Amino acid sequence: MSAKAKVTIQPSNLQFDIADSDKQQTILDNAIKNDIQLPYSCKKGVCGVCKSKVVSGKTKFTIPENEIAKWALSNQERENGYILTCISQIADGEQNLNLHCANAVQAHLPTPQVLRARIESMEKLDSDIMKVILRLAATNADNQKIGTLQFVAGQYLKIMSDDKRPRAFSIANLPNDKNEIELHIRSIEGGYFTPKFFDGTFKVKDIVDVIVPLGNFILRKDSANPLVFVAGGTGFAPIQAILEDYFANNADENRPVYLFWGVRTPSGLYAEELLNKWQQQHKNFNYVPVVSDENNNNANSWNGETGLVHNAVEKYLQNVSNLSNADFYLCGNKMMISAMNNLLAANKVSEAKIFSDAF
């Protein structure tokens, strides 16, 4: 009888065992079974979100390699040891597998469900940003009552689309008795889906299907390090939920908390009232808005930080003692995440302290 296999995730050093009876399940499913959350989305080897690198040990794919989407995992990436954990198993006879997956976290997260939702309200926060409130149906597809939907601050949902490509949006609020979900949706110029919230295609009372909750961009509660949140545009949405939860649940008022929010114009800072309230109520909360195009607003002059958001973070890293020892939570477009990762690496911030959600 072969022994169980051990999987170690770096740099977090999280570990879990795969029993003989579970070796035909994917690495991702075995991790989730052990309350270790690895990044994933489609679970079909299509999106590439669950990409991880094999440091040592052997794995095997559950589908033929020529059927794996090239945009999810390129030939070069495979040669460099990368796999998709949603379509990979531990190889026959392998007893120890080491994977590199920067955003792994130990947590028990609710199981995603497919639910119907009604658009309760739509409110423009800026010329190209819409706050959309969805209200979930009381029952699921099997006509079972769902009660209060549970999710963790920082998670996201997907809205199903008629082009068969679900769109992901971060959840900006916390679970509530009304089962309402707040989204901050930016209209993507030339996009197929998001402009529908601005051109009248989607209306209040329309019904959409959603998959919820998803993602593991959540606060690691086993750390007492300073907290630094870096948001780009509507990347503020999950950070809003995380901070709402943090401040509401006996937050350590001596633990420094920084929020850097980068936008193109001052009007993109659509949550100023909430952020001012947090500054007044929490002496440890430091808010740094950053405007990249300060001249593109005829009505207001901008006297705050300018440039790209990572430039402002760099300034604070140089001038604030021990900020490089913080836990960093990054949410924004891939260019911003890449720039921040390069900056933090240059400042010798451990990869184990960096958590990101790119869109």
Side-chain angles (χ1 to χ4, degrees):
M1 179 181 294
S2 60
K4 61 186 177 183
K6 182 176 291 295
V7 179
T8 302
I9 309 296
Q10 299 177 2
S12 59
N13 204 37
L14 294 172
Q15 295 183 327
F16 61 94
D17 292 333
I18 299 180
D20 287 346
S21 58
D22 293 331
K23 288 181 179 178
Q24 296 307 307
Q25 295 184 23
T26 66
I27 294 167
L28 175 62
D29 284 338
N30 272 291
I32 294 171
K33 184 177 181 179
N34 286 275
D35 286 343
I36 292 179
Q37 307 298 327
L38 308 180
Y40 76 92
S41 182
C42 72
K43 295 189 78 173
K44 297 178 181 178
V46 174
C47 69
V49 171
C50 68
K51 191 181 301 175
S52 300
K53 186 172 184 178
V54 176
V55 179
S56 63
K58 294 181 179 180
T59 64
K60 62 180 181 180
F61 289 113
T62 59
I63 64 175
E65 290 194 36
N66 61 3
E67 294 181 9
I68 300 172
K70 293 294 189 295
W71 57 84
L73 191 68
S74 69
N75 291 333
Q76 185 63 55
E77 286 173 326
R78 269 180 270 177
E79 291 176 7
N80 291 337
Y82 286 90
I83 63 169
L84 301 175
T85 60
C86 76
I87 55 167
S88 297
Q89 300 168 341
I90 194 162
D92 297 336
E94 184 61 70
Q95 299 302 312
N96 289 285
L97 178 65
N98 287 277
L99 294 178
H100 186 277
C101 181
N103 284 328
V105 60
Q106 180 93 51
H108 179 74
L109 297 180
T111 302
Q113 303 182 66
V114 178
L115 300 171
R116 306 218 89 181
R118 182 179 66 202
I119 299 176
E120 284 290 286
S121 65
M122 300 169 66
E123 175 191 354
K124 263 194 174 183
L125 300 176
D126 197 10
S127 60
D128 61 348
I129 299 173
M130 187 78 72
K131 181 170 80 171
V132 177
I133 303 296
L134 301 179
R135 187 164 188 171
L136 299 173
T139 57
N140 62 20
D142 297 322
N143 207 33
Q144 298 171 322
K145 291 186 178 180
I146 65 170
T148 300
L149 180 76
Q150 295 303 311
F151 54 90
V152 179
Q155 291 193 282
Y156 68 92
L157 59 67
K158 285 186 174 183
I159 300 178
M160 309 302 286
S161 172
D162 57 6
D163 66 351
K164 309 302 180 184
R165 293 175 54 203
R167 270 42 174 217
F169 300 99
S170 295
I171 302 172
N173 64 319
L174 303 178
N176 55 84
D177 293 340
K178 292 184 178 181
N179 273 353
E180 290 185 345
I181 289 178
E182 177 181 332
L183 308 177
H184 301 167
I185 297 178
R186 178 177 221 123
S187 180
I188 305 300
E189 186 176 353
Y192 175 82
F193 188 73
T194 56
K196 295 177 185 292
F197 289 93
F198 296 79
D199 65 11
T201 302
F202 282 127
K203 302 179 180 65
V204 172
K205 296 185 180 181
D206 281 353
I207 303 297
V208 294
D209 290 324
V210 300
I211 307 171
V212 62
L214 296 164
N216 68 346
F217 185 66
I218 63 175
L219 189 67
R220 276 60 174 173
K221 297 187 176 180
D222 58 349
S223 172
N225 297 326
L227 287 167
V228 177
F229 297 92
V230 184
T234 52
F236 172 71
I239 292 172
Q240 173 180 300
I242 291 171
L243 285 173
E244 284 273 25
D245 188 48
Y246 181 75
F247 289 138
N249 287 284
N250 303 312
D252 179 359
E253 290 291 337
N254 294 313
R255 184 183 188 186
V257 178
Y258 290 83
L259 168 62
F260 296 85
W261 189 6
V263 296
R264 288 176 297 176
T265 64
S267 63
L269 300 167
Y270 54 78
E272 290 285 88
E273 183 177 344
L274 173 64
L275 294 168
N276 289 335
K277 182 186 78 171
W278 285 346
Q279 284 185 301
Q280 293 170 6
Q281 294 178 344
H282 306 285
K283 63 181 182 181
N284 60 325
F285 178 59
N286 305 275
Y287 168 47
V288 184
V290 186
V291 172
S292 62
D293 187 5
E294 71 275 18
N295 296 317
N296 191 21
N297 191 303
N298 296 325
N300 298 289
S301 60
W302 179 252
N303 297 316
E305 295 283 350
T306 59
L308 299 176
V309 68
H310 71 275
N311 298 136
V313 178
E314 182 175 22
K315 184 187 300 185
Y316 275 71
L317 279 168
Q318 293 172 351
N319 297 317
V320 178
S321 176
N322 294 323
L323 198 61
S324 60
N325 292 325
D327 295 335
F328 287 81
Y329 291 81
L330 321 174
C331 188
N333 64 45
K334 293 179 180 179
M335 289 185 292
M336 186 274 273
I337 299 293
S338 177
M340 276 301 308
N341 282 331
N342 291 336
L343 171 64
L344 296 177
N347 281 271
K348 296 182 169 53
V349 176
S350 168
E351 192 177 14
K353 295 181 179 180
I354 305 170
F355 312 101
S356 61
D357 187 11
F359 56 80

